[in-house]
Amino acid sequence: MNERIRILTDNRLFFCFRFGFSSATLYINLRLHLEMQTIQVVTRDFRANTQSPLLCLTAFSANMNFLGLLLLLCLQRNANGASEYPWTFDNDLLGGPDFWGLLNKHWRMCTMGQMQSPVNVDPSKLFYDSGLTPLLIDNNVVEAELQNTGQLPVLTINDSVVLSKNINISGGPGNPYRYRLHKVIIHFGRVSDGEKGSEHTVDFVRFPAEVQLIAYNTDLYTNFTEAMTQPRGLLAIAVIVDIGDITNTELRKLTVASQSITYKDSKTTLNKFNAFGLLPKTSNYVTYEGSLTFPGCYETVTWVIMNNPIYITKEDLQIWNDLQQTELKQPNPVFMFPNYRPLKTLNGRLLRTNIKVKYKRMAAPSCASNVYLDMGYQANPTRTVSSKIHHKRHFSKEQIFEENSSMTIEKMSPRAEILNNMESFDYI
């Protein structure tokens, strides 16, 4: 059954209504012929294996006064009634991020939520919080399973309570609770096209990849499944991945293991995995309250974005691009990349940091404040590269903030591109 339906129109209205169909699935393949102003609906399959499908009405308006109605039955295939409609990170498809909240009633936060992730770390909206302590993470070796889910490579930690060693996380914005690492997720773009794949951006600059370590609150909840839908349930550490000469040791282990999970639902076991090795050598971070970046987008996550990257070679990053969404080898494979969710708005949320920065102001502020409205938060403070979408701020020599505490800024030529010739750098 072909479960991917490509939308070929720009203007689209999407409405979903739930109907009480008893035990049938009508899968219809839809093609829109704008030139002929016709709609061809081809019945592809009919099965008696669902509980209550979603009837979705999709309305498209074309440039020549044409309005077509397309009908799609979104499948529900498991016995408990939770939707298993195939979701994707491709917004050109039904099932892409813009539609997650319409595919399943339990995923409504993907559309309606006001604290969604990922976000851009805006240089003008950092709040220094002196109460943010360093993260404390157990340096333990554990057993883990790496799986190709079809949408993401997901490493699941065997965190059973009967094990003598787990990877516990405390301190930082998670205080006073204790969290236990359960999943590690890798996001990446299309390497061959130079597409970057990090979910979080810094001053609207996207990086080659991002590793996310997701832990659940063991003080309040018994397992990850319970915690991910509950308040203060999850703590997620985002580690930016940049291109370098040598791949991070633990990331290299995952990269090699990924070659065993090329196809959807394939798995492999890592007997000795040390998540502590995925962290950069810094205690500096930015934190905010957000959500999971995949369905159901539950707003139960405290995010911690580390202030330094880890590195991967371009050749190793290309290996991740070999992962496929298809279950078996096919003549026309569907690859997993890119697998990052588009940015979401802050909607008034605070971006807090434990990095105390002194800022040189051109004029005295009107009132004292801990919010550094003019502070530059950039991967390269002196860069002049501008985005095609967002206008970049430029700083004069007098305006660049100076070092305080343990923060380091590497000075580069004014015209250096953001990711060129960087051996090490801080984002702030």
Side-chain angles (χ1 to χ4, degrees):
M1 181 188 302
N2 181 10
E3 295 175 334
R4 299 169 62 83
I5 299 178
R6 183 165 294 278
I7 301 174
L8 301 177
T9 56
D10 295 326
N11 303 319
R12 58 194 180 189
L13 300 172
F14 195 81
F15 307 91
C16 287
F17 304 92
R18 184 176 295 276
F19 283 76
F21 293 178
S22 57
S23 59
T25 298
L26 178 63
Y27 185 87
I28 52 180
N29 181 24
L30 307 166
R31 289 194 301 172
L32 181 62
H33 297 272
L34 296 179
E35 299 85 355
M36 300 177 61
Q37 301 186 12
T38 61
I39 299 175
Q40 179 184 14
V41 179
V42 182
T43 300
R44 293 297 301 274
D45 196 10
F46 184 87
R47 295 182 181 177
N49 64 353
T50 60
Q51 297 297 320
S52 90
L54 285 175
L55 179 62
C56 302
L57 300 179
T58 310
F60 299 88
S61 59
N63 295 329
M64 44 188 182
N65 299 322
F66 169 74
L67 181 67
L69 290 178
L70 300 181
L71 301 177
L72 172 67
L73 277 174
C74 303
L75 310 183
Q76 289 188 342
R77 295 179 293 184
N78 57 350
N80 62 13
S83 174
E84 290 290 336
Y85 183 83
W87 61 275
T88 176
F89 284 98
D90 190 346
N91 247 337
D92 288 338
L93 301 177
L94 286 175
D98 287 350
F99 298 98
W100 290 352
L102 305 174
L103 299 177
N104 185 325
K105 66 180 181 180
H106 301 292
W107 299 353
R108 290 173 181 170
M109 292 304 293
C110 298
T111 300
M112 301 172 60
Q114 297 299 304
M115 297 174 60
Q116 291 292 292
S117 298
V119 300
N120 173 60
V121 177
D122 192 323
S124 66
K125 296 179 180 178
L126 287 182
F127 182 94
Y128 171 66
D129 187 344
S130 60
L132 290 174
T133 59
L135 285 174
L136 302 175
I137 304 175
D138 289 344
N139 188 3
N140 292 333
V141 176
V142 297
E143 181 182 284
E145 181 181 76
L146 183 62
Q147 178 183 7
N148 179 340
T149 67
Q151 296 90 2
L152 291 164
V154 179
L155 184 78
T156 303
I157 310 297
N158 186 352
D159 57 2
S160 170
V161 293
V162 300
L163 293 178
S164 59
K165 291 184 179 180
N166 289 300
I167 301 176
N168 297 307
I169 305 174
S170 59
N175 271 334
Y177 301 110
R178 190 178 180 90
Y179 294 80
R180 180 171 298 165
L181 183 63
H182 184 68
K183 291 184 182 295
V184 177
I185 299 175
I186 298 91
H187 298 269
F188 46 86
R190 188 195 304 260
V191 177
S192 60
D193 292 346
E195 180 181 12
K196 308 299 192 298
S198 69
E199 291 207 301
H200 292 87
T201 61
V202 179
D203 198 15
F204 292 106
V205 174
R206 195 176 298 278
F207 293 86
E210 180 173 325
V211 175
Q212 297 173 353
L213 294 80
I214 305 178
Y216 68 95
N217 190 326
T218 54
D219 288 342
L220 298 181
Y221 309 108
T222 58
N223 55 55
F224 181 85
T225 302
E226 178 188 7
M228 72 176 180
T229 61
Q230 302 299 320
R232 298 302 299 268
L234 302 179
L235 178 75
I237 302 174
V239 179
I240 298 298
V241 181
D242 198 4
I243 299 297
D245 295 331
I246 301 176
T247 300
N248 170 279
T249 302
E250 292 301 317
L251 184 54
R252 174 61 182 167
K253 289 182 183 178
L254 295 179
T255 302
V256 173
S258 72
Q259 295 175 301
S260 301
I261 60 165
T262 301
Y263 304 108
K264 180 182 177 181
D265 294 330
S266 54
K267 304 175 182 179
T268 188
T269 300
L270 283 78
N271 294 320
K272 295 182 179 181
F273 173 70
N274 185 1
F276 185 83
L278 285 174
L279 299 175
K281 296 179 180 179
T282 182
S283 60
N284 297 334
Y285 59 82
V286 171
T287 181
Y288 75 98
E289 299 301 316
S291 73
L292 291 174
T293 60
F294 54 85
C297 309
Y298 304 114
E299 296 180 340
T300 59
V301 184
T302 298
W303 279 95
V304 178
I305 306 172
M306 302 307 295
N307 188 47
N308 285 69
I310 60 175
Y311 295 93
I312 189 172
T313 64
K314 188 174 182 180
E315 293 74 19
D316 282 349
L317 185 57
Q318 179 62 53
I319 293 176
W320 289 100
N321 271 202
D322 294 336
L323 297 182
Q324 299 181 19
Q325 298 182 39
T326 46
E327 296 180 1
L328 299 171
K329 186 175 182 180
Q330 296 183 5
N332 299 309
V334 180
F335 291 98
M336 183 182 292
F337 60 77
N339 63 354
Y340 60 89
R341 189 186 190 192
L343 293 174
K344 299 299 176 180
T345 58
L346 276 174
N347 293 324
R349 284 175 286 172
L350 286 179
L351 289 171
R352 298 185 295 153
T353 181
N354 66 343
I355 306 173
K356 189 174 183 180
V357 179
K358 285 185 178 180
Y359 178 76
K360 291 184 177 180
R361 294 180 180 271
M362 299 302 293
S366 58
C367 61
S369 173
N370 283 332
V371 181
Y372 298 97
L373 297 179
D374 298 319
M375 184 174 66
Y377 182 93
Q378 302 182 43
N380 177 2
T382 59
R383 66 184 168 83
T384 58
V385 178
S386 62
S387 169
K388 294 180 181 179
I389 301 177
H390 302 277
H391 179 68
K392 300 298 180 184
R393 287 171 293 276
H394 303 286
F395 295 85
S396 65
K397 181 177 180 181
E398 290 77 20
Q399 287 177 304
I400 298 175
F401 53 85
E402 63 185 7
E403 176 184 347
N404 186 38
S405 185
S406 59
M407 190 183 74
T408 301
I409 298 294
E410 178 181 350
K411 294 184 179 179
M412 300 182 66
S413 65
R415 298 187 178 276
E417 293 184 359
I418 185 167
L419 294 178
N420 289 347
N421 305 319
M422 285 187 171
E423 295 298 329
S424 64
F425 63 88
D426 288 347
Y427 298 138
I428 297 182

